[in-house]
Amino acid sequence: MRTVLVVDDDPDLTALAGAYLGRLDDVAVRTATDADDALARVDDSVDCVVSDYEMPGMDGLALLDAVDAAHPEVDLVLFTGAEEDDLAERARERGAQYVRKGASTGGFDDLVDAVEGALDG
C-alpha cells in the first residue's frame, strides 16, 4: 500500500482531491489542511505529498522544500490554481511535478495521472 498526503487549506478541495486519488489501486490517502499539520504527518510511510501553493503560514513550495529536506525519497506534486508565471518552473526546480487546478474537474484527473506517474516512476 502506498500513501499520499494531500495538503490544502480548503477542506472541500482536500476531500475532492483525496476522493480522486482514492481511485488508484493500492493507494491510501491522508489529508491535512495546513503546512504544520502536514509536516507532522509526513513519516516513512508517506510516498507522495500533494500540496496547494497558496496557504496561510507556509506556501506550498516551502512545504515541499521542508518535506524534501526531511524525506528526500518522497515524491512531490504542487497542485494549485495560482497563476504566477514561473510557478511551474519553480516547482520543477525542486523536483516536484506541477499540476494546475482547473475550473472543472479536469485538473483532478491530471492530478491522478501525475501522482500515479510519480508513484510508479
Side-chain angles (χ1 to χ4, degrees), residues 52-86:
D52 186 22
Y53 175 63
E54 295 175 324
M55 298 185 293
M58 179 186 298
D59 71 40
L61 290 178
L63 171 61
L64 296 181
D65 286 344
V67 169
D68 188 52
H71 301 277
E73 72 286 355
V74 172
D75 294 308
L76 307 172
V77 178
L78 187 68
F79 183 53
T80 184
E83 295 186 20
E84 294 183 26
D85 290 339
D86 64 341

Side-chain angles (χ1 to χ4, degrees), residues 20-31:
Y20 270 80
L21 292 171
R23 297 176 183 173
L24 293 171
D25 290 335
D26 296 326
V27 171
V29 179
R30 297 181 191 167
T31 60

Side-chain angles (χ1 to χ4, degrees), residues 46-50 67 71-77 95 115 118-120:
V46 173
D47 299 290
C48 181
V49 172
V50 174
V67 169
H71 301 277
E73 72 286 355
V74 172
D75 294 308
L76 307 172
V77 178
V115 169
L119 292 173
D120 291 342

